[in-house]
Amino acid sequence: MKSSLVLSTHAAQFEAVALKGDFETNVAKIAGWGYDGVELAIRDPALVDARALTEVIDAHRLAVPAIGTGQAWGEEHLSFTDPDPEVRAAAVARIQSHIPLAAELDAQIIIGLIRGITPTGQTHAQSMAYFVEAMQACAKPARDAGVRFAIEPLNRYETDLLHTVQESLIFLDEVGLQNVGLLLDTFHMNIEEPSIEEGLRRCGDRIFHIHLADSNRWYPGAGHVDFRSVVETLREIGYDAWLSGEFMPQPDAATAAQRAIAHIRPLLQD
Ligand code: LER
Ligand code: MN
């Protein structure tokens, strides 16, 4: 398993991104702290100079395991489940526009809050039907490019759509595409799963990506999640991909990032 840290390419409001500010400075810091990769949070790929971005990342010998897309919801309110068909179409088009960059970086595309929240007057079933439709519209054209999508179950305080592993596995069956799997985030799992380890085991090879944050959404080691047991379980089920830190910049960004890797590294080497 390899370690990465979430970094936004532009200033963003989402609070659980440890580092904000100049991109290259942050990439250099992440490499210097010993991470193997950088997970990029990108609101709109049209705002990103792909060549400049790849040069910076290559220069620091980092990989990009995944691209987060939730800022398009947080800052523009694009969503797969909006009652307005134009907003849904814009959300699908935005996610599709990540495919070329994801293919170039060999990164997965994360589906978190871009799924939206059921608005008043719309049924949950209708939202789920829109969500399946949007996922298929995004994932089908990505198959030829070899791009995968990781849907992230989120806790109940953020959305009403997909909280648990159990619901998400049923959802994956409905989508019915092999390039769609799950991103499991230990912060959300600690709220929604009866047992984090059992949730990981149930998912097995449908786990495409992992986010690490402790129970309080601080860096791993700051709360009560047992990361030794999380890593052992992942190893047991044959997960051999990325553990990506996504936590609050507490007590400050640099300290959080360094304490996270200090906590996780030894577990990976055991
Ligand atoms: C994004 O990865 C995440 O975990 C969500 O909490 C975004 O709101
Ligand atoms: Mn997450």
Side-chain angles (χ1 to χ4, degrees), residues 147-246:
V147 171
R148 302 195 301 163
F149 285 80
I151 300 176
E152 182 175 22
L154 299 171
N155 76 70
R156 67 192 69 185
Y157 306 108
E158 294 194 30
T159 178
D160 62 316
L161 305 171
L162 295 186
H163 302 143
T164 63
V165 158
Q166 190 176 352
E167 292 169 299
S168 304
L169 289 172
I170 294 168
F171 184 79
L172 288 187
D173 283 344
E174 283 169 28
V175 173
L177 296 167
Q178 285 313 302
N179 63 329
V180 184
L182 298 183
L183 153 56
L184 299 182
D185 180 323
T186 52
F187 169 72
H188 298 299
M189 293 186 92
N190 178 61
I191 296 171
E192 297 295 346
E193 301 298 328
S195 149
I196 294 182
E197 291 81 355
E198 202 39 48
L200 296 171
R201 281 191 204 101
R202 283 184 83 152
C203 255
D205 65 4
R206 302 311 293 161
I207 305 179
F208 282 10
H209 193 51
I210 294 282
H211 275 169
L212 296 183
D214 218 318
S215 47
N216 45 8
R217 216 168 204 181
W218 281 40
Y219 56 85
H224 57 72
V225 170
D226 182 349
F227 287 97
R228 175 175 299 279
S229 171
V230 167
V231 168
E232 274 169 11
T233 307
L234 287 168
R235 200 176 276 133
E236 217 178 88
I237 63 173
Y239 180 81
D240 191 27
W242 291 82
L243 303 175
S244 203
E246 182 194 53

